[in-house]
Amino acid sequence: MSYKNFPMVPRVIFGRGSFNQLNDILEPKRLNSKAPFIFLVDDVFKNNAWLTSRIPLAYGDRIIYISAAEEPKTSQVDELVEDIILTTKERPSGIVGIGGGTLLDLAKAVSIMLTNEGEAKDYQGWDLVKNEAVYHVGIPTISGTGAEVSRTTVLTGPEKKLGINSDYTPFDQVVLDSELTQDVPKEQWFYTGMDCYIHCIESLEGSYLNAFSQSYGEKAFDLCKEIFLDNNLSEVESQEKLMMASWHGGMSIAYSQVGVAHAMSYGLAYLLGTKHGIGNCIVFDHLEEFYPEGVKLFKEMKAKHNIELPQGICANLTDADFDIMIKVSLGMAPLWENALGKNWKNIMTPEKLKSLYQKM
């Protein structure tokens, strides 16, 4: 038996207002005055001086505002890398991602592609990255994805939706400042928080489970229940706990794997562009067969927060459309094996998967 030697985020700062210490964190990492820091920032903050005025710019540092309306693409990573190479005198001192899972994943991918030749799509898969990435920092402004702690950066490429899973992907530094999550719209808060909840269920119910994953998964699961069901927390407590639930949920996946909901939502995202958080919710709502207790609790949370999920998103799809989603989804072999065991192909046939998609 050969065990994974798993890399973790080496430095993390936690606390409300810790974003103010960004300059102290970055300056020692500045290579020289010609090697700038590039800040990739969700464009929802474009006119938000409360946040942007505190981004410490010096020398040739730059903010690039990016919309998170769509899931990150390999082509988008390639364009960003080309833009950065053409506009900087030297390789950047670092890449800083400020936003949700989309911005964090873009920051990870860009930092990798600045030191590895070719296109981002060439690195979709497991352990294909050859060279260490540029120094990169993750600053989440919404909690739940676990992107701040994972060793992947999930991208939609020309052929598939798949992460760049590598030892060079995790951030060198993460800043967990729950104050930055204060203006998240309620639906978004719920969908992204449920991404974390679903990570827990899929990890805890999976065949890859071990004590390492379980300890993180159980903690994240308990925090999710406290936040989304018990509901007797102050706003600040809720924000801080969800930030830690996201961290623990991400760590739980690190040494195991996700399952049916993620495998299926990748198909939705690839074909329909469905965002990850809401996509997971749409799928998970129909997975009683695989996660009976988890889905029951999910429906309780959904009712408690008056969340109406979109219905009939697969209603007008052709057979060819279904085939595309099925191909993408069944391509996620480790997820299916974790969820259903070694004989997963006998259980999750293309026909079975199609019948599940048809419910959505």
Side-chain angles (χ1 to χ4, degrees):
M1 181 72 185
S2 171
Y3 294 101
K4 274 192 309 194
N5 192 1
F6 177 72
M8 288 162 78
V9 173
R11 284 186 174 266
V12 58
I13 183 168
F14 175 87
R16 284 178 86 76
S18 57
F19 187 64
N20 294 332
Q21 290 167 247
L22 192 53
N23 190 54
D24 302 341
I25 292 167
L26 297 181
E27 267 319 301
K29 299 292 182 185
R30 190 181 291 279
L31 301 172
N32 60 57
S33 60
K34 291 189 183 133
F37 281 102
I38 309 291
F39 298 87
L40 307 183
V41 181
D42 189 322
D43 72 357
V44 73
F45 296 112
K46 202 167 195 170
N47 299 312
N48 183 334
W50 175 77
L51 187 143
T52 56
S53 65
R54 295 185 289 155
I55 296 175
L57 299 174
Y59 303 107
D61 296 350
R62 259 178 91 192
I63 296 177
I64 301 176
Y65 289 105
I66 298 169
S67 166
E70 293 187 347
E71 296 280 285
K73 296 183 171 62
T74 53
S75 55
Q76 187 182 10
V77 173
D78 295 334
E79 285 161 22
L80 281 165
V81 169
E82 188 177 8
D83 173 41
I84 290 167
I85 288 170
L86 291 174
T87 55
T88 52
K89 297 189 176 78
E90 288 185 20
R91 183 182 285 169
S93 292
I95 305 292
V96 182
I98 303 176
T102 294
L103 269 293
L104 297 179
D105 278 357
L106 283 171
K108 289 195 272 193
V110 166
S111 70
I112 286 169
M113 293 312 300
L114 282 166
T115 58
N116 289 274
E117 55 193 33
E119 298 174 279
K121 68 176 172 59
D122 304 334
Y123 297 94
Q124 283 182 288
W126 281 267
D127 301 306
L128 302 171
V129 180
K130 305 278 189 293
N131 305 319
E132 195 170 330
V134 167
Y135 175 78
H136 49 303
V137 179
I139 307 179
T141 59
I142 184 170
S143 300
T145 66
E148 64 278 11
V149 36
S150 76
R151 78 185 284 276
T152 189
T153 162
V154 182
L155 303 170
T156 302
E159 316 261 298
K160 54 195 171 217
K161 181 178 176 187
L162 184 60
I164 299 178
N165 291 269
S166 84
D167 283 353
Y168 302 121
T169 307
F171 286 111
D172 299 295
Q173 168 81 54
V174 169
V175 177
L176 296 178
D177 180 348
S178 62
E179 211 170 40
L180 302 180
T181 68
Q182 64 191 12
D183 295 324
V184 174
K186 182 183 135 182
E187 270 78 14
Q188 198 55 51
W189 165 80
F190 184 84
Y191 297 143
T192 310
M194 286 302 106
D195 188 18
C196 172
Y197 172 73
I198 294 166
H199 285 157
C200 300
I201 301 295
E202 291 182 322
S203 173
L204 292 171
E205 299 284 323
S207 63
Y208 289 6
L209 188 65
N210 53 63
F212 184 98
S213 287
Q214 189 175 0
S215 62
Y216 283 107
E218 285 173 347
K219 186 65 201 171
F221 178 73
D222 290 345
L223 287 166
C224 284
K225 281 198 299 191
E226 205 180 332
I227 295 156
F228 292 101
L229 275 182
D230 302 347
N231 235 12
N232 43 20
L233 298 171
S234 72
E235 203 172 351
V236 169
E237 283 174 327
S238 176
Q239 288 164 1
E240 297 214 307
K241 288 193 177 208
L242 188 54
M243 199 155 242
M244 288 322 297
S246 178
W247 184 273
H248 283 81
M251 284 300 300
S252 178
I253 297 311
Y255 221 82
S256 67
Q257 206 26 285
V258 278
V260 180
H262 276 73
M264 289 186 65
S265 80
Y266 276 29
L268 292 178
Y270 182 79
L271 182 75
L272 303 172
T274 313
K275 293 279 292 178
H276 184 69
I278 193 170
N280 273 343
C281 289
I282 291 168
V283 173
F284 196 69
D285 209 29
H286 295 281
L287 297 184
E288 296 96 335
E289 182 185 342
F290 306 101
Y291 308 112
E293 287 302 309
V295 173
K296 181 168 164 271
L297 213 53
F298 169 73
K299 289 183 187 291
E300 283 176 36
M301 295 178 190
K302 202 175 59 163
K304 185 167 185 105
H305 298 285
N306 302 315
I307 300 292
E308 295 279 335
L309 289 176
Q311 303 293 325
I313 61 167
C314 296
N316 302 317
L317 298 184
T318 64
D319 284 343
D321 290 334
F322 279 113
D323 288 344
I324 290 168
M325 290 202 299
I326 289 163
K327 184 176 176 223
V328 168
S329 181
L330 292 179
M332 313 297 294
L335 283 66
W336 290 110
E337 186 178 309
N338 177 48
L340 305 175
K342 289 262 190 273
N343 293 326
W344 66 269
K345 286 183 180 168
N346 301 331
I347 302 168
M348 192 49 69
T349 60
E351 298 73 34
K352 169 75 175 170
L353 188 51
K354 185 173 184 176
S355 73
L356 283 170
Y357 275 131
Q358 284 168 331
K359 291 182 185 175
M360 291 161 198

